[in-house]
Amino acid sequence: MARTRLPLIAGNWKMNGLTADALALAKAVAAGVKQGGWTDREVLICPPVTLLMAIAEAVKGSGLLVGGQDCHVKASGACTGDVSAEMLKDVGASHVIVGHSERRTDCGETDAVVRDKAEAAWRAGLLPIVCIGETLAEREAGKAFDVLETQLKGSVPVGATAATLVVAYEPVWAIGTGKTPTTPDVAAAHAHIRKVLGGLVPGAAGVRLLYGGSVKGSNAAELLAAGDVDGALVGGAALKADEFLAIAKAV
Ligand code: 13P
């Protein structure tokens, strides 16, 4: 069956990459994307902010998209060490990840902060990828769907549409662990997310839902074929060009 939503394969490099190796990685991914010549999927990398400008420049014309991993809620001001959505846009970003579980946990980001960051992305003309996901304890307590619903209701700004929102479902226990939910579990979580979005976003059927957590070349085809999965948010496997391109090809 033809897909109605344009798949998005996004690589989150997290805090990895020094100039030489990172540029080589970005160029290798860009070459693969250019060779793929895909019009039926989008491929995005989110490198560390220090390399964003150089990488955006290096991959120009390849079709590979570049995004940020986080942004501040304000456009500018006295916020030492922070980076605004406008700054990301200024150096070539088209997307920004907001509300990644590592930031929710390590930086205490609440749903309200994530929502404000998604709005900041809009203000700057970026497409926010809003991350949600339950912990293992929440899953084992049978609360996963409640957690996803609470996070969505708190993190998705009023006024979101299918064109201005991407949601990434990343079960915290699957991130960097090599563990993934079963395909039916992924499909069930995504169906639940889409149902909740139905009450929040007009045209929720068109919102792209990415799965993230231990996606690699060998499991991508199966995960991407699960119901309501419109792409992947990839961590570790995004740091190897051939592995990341294998995921992009698996769409
Ligand atoms: P891994 O692919 O390394 O599990 O990381 C997933 C992730 O957190 C992407 O944002």
Side-chain angles (χ1 to χ4, degrees):
M1 205 175 72
R3 287 180 181 267
T4 50
R5 297 173 293 266
L6 188 63
L8 171 63
I9 303 299
N12 174 10
W13 289 13
K14 308 191 180 183
M15 195 171 69
N16 294 291
L18 300 179
T19 312
D21 287 351
L23 273 175
L25 171 60
K27 284 179 186 169
V29 173
V33 168
K34 189 164 189 182
Q35 191 183 21
W38 296 304
T39 53
D40 61 349
R41 73 204 70 184
E42 290 179 332
V43 185
L44 165 76
I45 54 172
C46 300
V49 72
T50 48
L51 295 166
L52 209 52
M53 191 173 190
I55 286 179
E57 197 60 41
V59 307
K60 214 174 241 175
S62 67
L64 176 63
L65 302 165
V66 177
Q69 300 176 11
D70 175 51
C71 65
H72 196 273
V73 299
K74 290 196 207 161
S76 63
C79 309
T80 303
D82 274 310
V83 171
S84 71
E86 281 77 359
M87 290 169 171
L88 298 175
K89 174 84 176 173
D90 183 48
V91 295
S94 53
H95 297 59
V96 62
I97 298 167
V98 294
H100 191 282
S101 70
E102 285 149 17
R103 295 203 59 87
R104 288 177 183 264
T105 305
D106 301 346
C107 309
E109 290 189 6
T110 61
D111 288 331
V113 167
V114 176
R115 185 195 57 219
D116 289 350
K117 289 186 172 195
E119 287 185 335
W122 292 349
R123 185 189 61 222
L126 299 178
L127 181 55
I129 300 174
V130 175
C131 301
I132 58 169
E134 83 284 0
T135 63
L136 187 59
E138 288 162 346
R139 167 159 285 240
E140 286 177 342
K143 292 185 182 148
F145 280 17
D146 291 343
V147 168
L148 297 178
E149 181 161 350
T150 303
Q151 289 181 336
L152 279 172
K153 287 184 174 162
S155 308
V156 172
V158 173
T161 68
T164 60
L165 175 72
V166 174
V167 173
Y169 169 55
E170 297 205 307
V172 178
W173 53 274
I175 294 176
T177 60
K179 293 180 192 152
T180 59
T182 63
T183 314
D185 280 350
V186 172
H190 280 227
H192 179 68
I193 290 166
R194 197 171 299 286
K195 188 172 125 216
V196 174
L197 282 176
L200 302 174
V201 179
V207 176
R208 289 180 288 175
L209 307 184
L210 314 185
Y211 167 77
S214 297
V215 178
K216 47 192 181 198
S218 57
N219 63 14
E222 190 182 346
L223 289 164
L224 289 168
D228 276 304
V229 174
D230 308 310
L233 183 53
V234 184
L239 298 173
K240 293 187 199 120
D242 51 353
E243 190 75 16
F244 185 60
L245 287 167
I247 297 167
K249 283 177 190 153
V251 168

